[in-house]
Structure formats: C-alpha cells, structure tokens
Amino acid sequence: MTIQRPRGTRDFLPQDMARRRHLEDQLRKVVGRWGYQEVVTPTFEDLELFTMKSGEAVVGELYNFTDKGGREMTLRPELTAPVMRMFVNEMQALPRPLKLFYFENCFRYERPQKGRFREFWQFGVELIGSEGPDADAEVIALANTMLGVAGIQGDLHVGYLGIIRHVLQPLESEQQGKIMRLVDKKDDKGLDDFLEEVNAPIDMRMKLLRLISLTGGEAISKARDLLGPIPEIDAFQQVLTLLDAYGVGYTIDFGIARGLDYYTGMVFEIYAKGLGAQKQVCGGGSYKLIQLFGGGDIPSTGFGLGFDRIMEIYDIEPVLQKTIVIITTESTRITAIPVATKLREYVPVYLDIMNRTFKAQLSYANNIGARYALILGDREVAQGLFTFKDMESGTQESLTLNEIILRLTGESN
C-alpha cells in the first residue's frame, strides 16, 4: 500500500528547497539590516490563546486536539498571538521598542485551493512598544522592501481604522466589530442589512458608506470634507508623509478593515499580479493584543508575508555553488577521501560511494550537472597532480590541490 501525503500539504524536492531557502535568506538579510531579531515559539499552543483572540468560531479552522494530560491544544494557525504571549511571559522587562521577526510553519484546517494550504509558511514582523506614525511607516516600508528583494512589485493599499471607528462611535463595540468584518469582506449587502438591523443613525450610515468608498490621491481631502477636522485624519496624514520620505508608493484605501477587532489604527495590504483571486501577499497594521493576554496596554505594529503565495511568482533562481565530482579508480578510492575532505571546506564535493566504474562516475557527474570533475588515477597520485576537468567546456589541465583551491576560491569571489 502506498501512503499519500496529507491533503493540503506538500513535499518539497531539492530544487524546490533551493529556491525557498534562497528567498528566505534574502528576507532574513533585509529584516536583520532593519534591526529586527528572530524569535521562535512552539508549534502547538493552548487552544485558548487563539479563541481569546479570534473567538470560539475559529476552532472549526484549527488543528486542535486534547493531549494525554487532558489539555485542549492546537497547532498554531498564525504567529502574532504566540509572539504576544511570549512577550507577556518573558519579555516585558526588555527595552522598547522590541523589533522581532519569525519564519515558521502554520496550520489551518480549511479547504485547500490555489495559494491556500493546510500547512503553510509565514514570515512576519512585530514591532512592540512604539505607537504612532513612525512605527507605522517603518513597518510598511520594511514590508515593501522585503517584497522588493523578492522581485515583486506589490500594489500597496493603506487605510486607517481609527477614522472608521470614529464614525462608528454611536454603536456598541461588538456591533463595530461585525461592521469591520463585513467591510473587510466587501459584503455591501450584508453591511446594509446589518446597519438596518441595529438601527444605525442615518447620518452615520451615510458617512460610513461614503468613507469606505474613498480611495486614491484625493481620499484624505474628501474624508476631511466628510468628517471635519478630526485628529485621526491628521494622524493618518503623518503616516503618509513618512511613507513619502521612505519613497514608498501607495494607494489610500479607506475600505481596508482587516476584519479583526484588535486592529486600532493604520492597516495595510499588498497585492501582487499573477495570483488570481488569492492575490494578497502581505497584510498588517497597528493593534493592541498584549492586554488581552495579561500584559499592559502596549501598542504593536506588524505584518505577515504569505511566503507560499510569493513562491508561486518568485522567478529569481538561486546561484548554486559549483560542485565537483571526484573520479577515482579502485586503487585510488582511499587516497581520494582526504582530498574530498579538504575541498569540502570550499565547495560541495561528490565522492563515489556506489563502487561505480570510472566511466559510470563520469556519466554521473554529467547527470547531476557538476561543474567540475577531479580525476584521481594512479598516474595522478604518482605525480602529485590532479586532472581538473571543466564539464561545461570539456577542457582539462593538471593542477596541484592548492592550485585547484585557488581556482575555486578565486571564482567564488
């Protein structure tokens, strides 16, 4: 019987992993240069960590289970809540702001489709302890830079939930949350029905529907005309001014709501071409979650990159190290081992472990795309030289081991 991989998961072959690791390395370099440090949280957490954040309805989307001690646990569906839990448990005394990043796998029990899997990878950033336009702008600019190194020209949309919340002040917090989710889903009919259901004031309805339709360069001035001189619009304008200083292109979009109650001010989403309906590759904003998990009233700003979606359109091929295959005879196999050990300090080296013939070893070098073959026969051992063959050009020459190392290190510089 052949056992298949679980639905919604993938196997990554060596060529797949080379591309994924290459992108991962590029993203790590960017966040490191911006001063962010890596954290890792457990693969599974207490189920309550996520129901506190997203409500009991989220359980249907989780890989939850009861452990042998009778505790309700779940594989993590995302990483913001675990990082906030970690901050409350272990990091509250550290100097602020804390600049953290993570790259881990997450799990959600949902219908697999293009760009959506039950096991997926998230690269994310959390800036904890700084509130205001400077933190908001830095996080957006960082996300934009990370997508840039991936070769993706994203369409960045920026909104400000504080302005929508100002309009919704007459309603209860639960009603506001429901409205945010309907706005996030672009469910115009559902929004109209719910506003009617809660008997929302006519003036408030008009302002809300008009506000969430505002996009583009005149959106700020139109919002001022609609709502008057409120501080939330001034705060949003400061974020945009800083984004201009960063040189980040954006579209103002008051229809972005992110659909989660804990977002407080700035929100943003980035879309990429070539992904069809599932085109969002990044989303985030400013929020307050730490208090929910037992910490203080501490602001945070962050985002998550959809690593798997980015990989679907990532077309930068990694530059692989030049590999060497050492070709031996039966009498020189032992002599080749210390040679291979020395060369492995510099490049990948393949040494025959299949007892292949001389001809079969050379054929193997061709089949795996080796850049060089180092031929070590009885004559080479006697002379203290190696036949160094360029597999692309077919040329070969006799070199000492040190000369080969200099050749390889010179090419890699």
Side-chain angles (χ1 to χ4, degrees):
M1 180 182 72
T2 301
I3 300 176
Q4 301 296 322
R5 66 175 183 268
R7 187 167 183 248
T9 65
R10 291 154 294 163
D11 296 317
F12 298 112
L13 302 181
Q15 60 268 32
D16 300 322
M17 287 309 304
R19 294 180 64 251
R20 291 175 70 90
R21 291 302 186 205
H22 183 259
L23 175 57
E24 178 189 342
D25 290 344
Q26 298 306 306
L27 298 179
R28 286 178 177 276
K29 288 177 182 176
V30 173
V31 293
R33 289 168 184 158
W34 285 61
Y36 288 74
Q37 297 179 302
E38 186 175 14
V39 293
V40 175
T41 63
T43 304
F44 59 93
E45 296 268 4
D46 193 306
L47 177 63
E48 189 178 10
L49 179 69
F50 300 100
T51 57
M52 287 176 64
K53 169 177 168 284
S54 304
E56 292 292 335
V58 75
V59 175
E61 302 173 6
L62 303 181
Y63 272 93
N64 59 301
F65 59 95
T66 303
D67 71 8
K68 293 181 179 180
R71 294 171 286 264
E72 291 296 318
M73 313 298 290
T74 185
L75 300 181
R76 60 188 174 214
E78 51 90 18
L79 284 148
T80 296
V83 171
M84 296 302 106
R85 189 267 309 149
M86 179 180 64
F87 172 83
V88 172
N89 291 167
E90 305 175 57
M91 306 179 79
Q92 294 195 69
L94 297 180
R96 298 173 194 167
L98 286 172
K99 295 184 174 185
L100 309 175
F101 80 91
Y102 45 79
F103 178 67
E104 299 292 339
N105 55 342
C106 300
F107 306 86
R108 289 182 188 166
Y109 192 83
E110 55 186 1
R111 184 173 65 86
Q113 53 186 299
K114 181 177 174 58
R116 191 179 291 270
F117 305 95
R118 289 179 172 176
E119 181 185 24
F120 58 96
W121 274 257
Q122 188 178 77
F123 201 121
V125 158
E126 310 293 346
L127 196 164
I128 302 173
S130 180
E131 184 174 33
D134 295 278
D136 292 346
E138 174 173 306
V139 165
I140 295 174
L142 173 57
N144 188 68
T145 302
M146 293 171 72
L147 288 176
V149 302
I152 294 174
Q153 297 299 316
D155 182 14
L156 168 63
H157 285 230
V158 187
Y160 202 85
L161 289 189
I163 300 173
I164 298 179
R165 292 189 186 280
H166 176 88
V167 174
L168 297 179
Q169 281 179 348
L171 301 181
E172 298 176 0
S173 59
E174 289 186 4
Q175 294 172 335
Q176 292 183 26
K178 178 68 177 293
I179 289 171
M180 292 291 190
R181 288 187 285 276
L182 291 168
V183 171
D184 180 56
K185 294 178 180 178
K186 312 297 183 187
D187 185 354
D188 296 336
K189 184 179 186 307
L191 179 60
D192 286 337
D193 292 345
F194 185 71
L195 290 171
E196 181 70 27
E197 177 185 328
V198 299
N199 197 27
I202 297 298
D203 181 60
M204 190 208 77
R205 294 191 208 183
M206 182 275 295
K207 288 182 177 179
L208 173 65
L209 296 176
R210 176 65 179 141
L211 177 65
I212 63 176
S213 71
L214 296 180
T215 62
E218 298 182 357
I220 288 286
S221 61
K222 290 180 179 178
R224 291 189 193 278
D225 293 341
L226 180 66
L227 304 177
I230 63 173
E232 290 85 355
I233 294 180
D234 294 335
F236 188 30
Q237 180 61 68
Q238 292 180 52
V239 175
L240 300 178
T241 299
L242 289 166
L243 288 179
D244 292 337
Y246 276 109
V248 174
Y250 56 83
T251 298
I252 300 170
D253 187 348
F254 285 111
I256 296 178
R258 300 294 294 155
L260 297 170
D261 294 344
Y262 56 82
Y263 282 106
T264 55
M266 178 277 297
V267 287
F268 73 98
E269 294 177 350
I270 304 178
Y271 313 104
K273 295 179 180 179
L275 290 174
Q278 302 292 337
K279 63 181 179 179
Q280 184 181 321
V281 293
C282 180
S286 57
Y287 58 89
K288 290 188 177 180
L289 262 180
I290 291 172
Q291 195 169 28
L292 182 65
F293 301 140
D297 185 18
I298 300 170
S300 303
T301 306
F303 64 81
L305 286 177
F307 189 83
D308 299 286
R309 290 185 186 176
I310 293 173
M311 285 305 307
E312 289 189 35
I313 53 176
Y314 182 62
D315 61 1
I316 301 175
E317 289 298 326
V319 178
L320 301 178
Q321 279 189 287
K322 296 178 173 65
T323 59
I324 293 180
V325 173
I326 298 181
I327 312 293
T328 68
T329 64
E330 180 64 30
S331 60
T332 62
R333 289 177 58 222
I334 300 298
T335 307
I337 292 175
V339 175
T341 300
K342 183 64 178 178
L343 288 174
R344 282 174 178 148
E345 297 177 15
Y346 307 96
V347 293
V349 176
Y350 291 82
L351 183 62
D352 181 53
I353 54 174
M354 301 288 287
N355 290 317
R356 291 186 172 101
T357 65
F358 183 93
K359 183 178 179 180
Q361 291 177 59
L362 200 56
S363 177
Y364 174 75
N366 273 313
N367 291 338
I368 67 170
R371 183 66 173 82
Y372 300 108
L374 192 155
I375 299 171
L376 183 58
D378 294 330
R379 178 173 59 84
E380 284 81 7
V381 171
Q383 295 177 346
L385 297 172
F386 302 90
T387 300
F388 190 62
K389 182 174 182 178
D390 187 319
M391 299 296 288
E392 289 184 358
S393 67
T395 60
Q396 60 186 46
E397 53 190 318
S398 294
L399 301 173
T400 66
L401 183 58
N402 285 337
E403 287 173 336
I404 291 172
I405 290 171
L406 286 173
R407 178 75 57 82
L408 294 171
T409 55
E411 288 187 3
S412 62
N413 290 336

